[in-house]
Amino acid sequence: LDASGNLIGYTSGSFSSSIGTASVADSGTSDSIIKWGRWASGTATVDNVSVTLSANQGVHLLWGVPTAIMPTSGTGTYSLLGGTSPTEAGGLLTPGTLSSASMSVDFGALTYSVSLGGTISGVATTFSASGAGSLTSNKLNTTSLTGLIGACSATGSVAGMFFGSSAERAGITYKLDDGTYTVVGAAALKQ
């Protein structure tokens, strides 16, 4: 983390990622449990590979205090707390706005459903998507999304994890592709 608490590097197994010459964009938090941000405008290392990012692109990140002991029964409803500006993976459009994200969880059945929506700038195009998947421990397993970018059908994926002592926060990263544009982003959710 840097002096402001922004994530500037991490390792996962044998893979290493670092901000390099890129800068932090869309940095945010509302508490000490979960934070979000996007690396943009420079060269970063992602999973041992050097990538050059424009201001319109980003590596979308979530970090915080992972849930160590998950609830084993009951349900939870989560709403949007905050997140990064959605970007088009190729940098073809300027960053947009994530206007909604919600999730329902059945802790006993180990399932979740998620929906999200927003705009991607440049062509003032809206996007929306939804999907349902399973839980493993404090992880939201990767699941398929279906939705729209503008009037075009789109498919993609979402994954994430729970944060806080009682899974009171969740973080998701998403990707949605219509064959022309690929919208990516990260969202923090609160119960």
Side-chain angles (χ1 to χ4, degrees):
L1 304 177
D2 66 11
S4 300
N6 294 309
L7 185 65
I8 57 172
Y10 62 93
T11 58
S12 178
S14 62
F15 294 101
S16 178
S17 299
S18 63
I19 195 168
T21 63
S23 58
V24 176
D26 305 333
S27 175
T29 186
S30 68
D31 52 38
S32 60
I33 300 172
I34 190 169
K35 298 179 180 187
W36 56 89
R38 173 172 62 95
W39 297 345
S41 303
T43 302
T45 300
V46 180
D47 294 341
N48 301 339
V49 176
S50 179
V51 294
T52 301
L53 303 164
S54 72
N56 291 345
Q57 295 172 301
V59 177
H60 298 263
L61 304 162
L62 295 157
W63 65 98
V65 181
T67 303
I69 301 172
M70 288 291 293
T72 57
S73 63
T75 60
T77 302
Y78 294 77
S79 60
L80 180 62
L81 181 62
T84 60
S85 297
T87 59
E88 200 285 317
L92 300 173
L93 306 172
T94 56
T97 302
L98 180 65
S99 55
S100 66
S102 62
M103 183 173 69
S104 297
V105 179
D106 187 324
F107 293 108
L110 300 176
T111 59
Y112 74 97
S113 61
V114 64
S115 64
L116 53 94
T119 60
I120 189 74
S121 299
V123 291
T125 298
T126 60
F127 68 91
S128 61
S130 62
S134 63
L135 310 179
T136 301
S137 184
N138 65 356
K139 306 263 188 310
L140 297 153
N141 295 322
T142 302
T143 193
S144 297
L145 287 175
T146 57
L148 297 169
I149 298 177
C152 298
S153 295
T155 59
S157 61
V158 63
M161 69 183 300
F162 291 94
F163 296 87
S165 61
S166 58
E168 64 268 32
R169 302 285 184 268
I172 59 170
T173 56
Y174 59 89
K175 176 180 178 180
L176 193 63
D177 187 298
D178 69 356
T180 301
Y181 300 118
T182 302
V183 177
V184 294
L189 306 167
K190 63 180 179 180
Q191 191 173 24

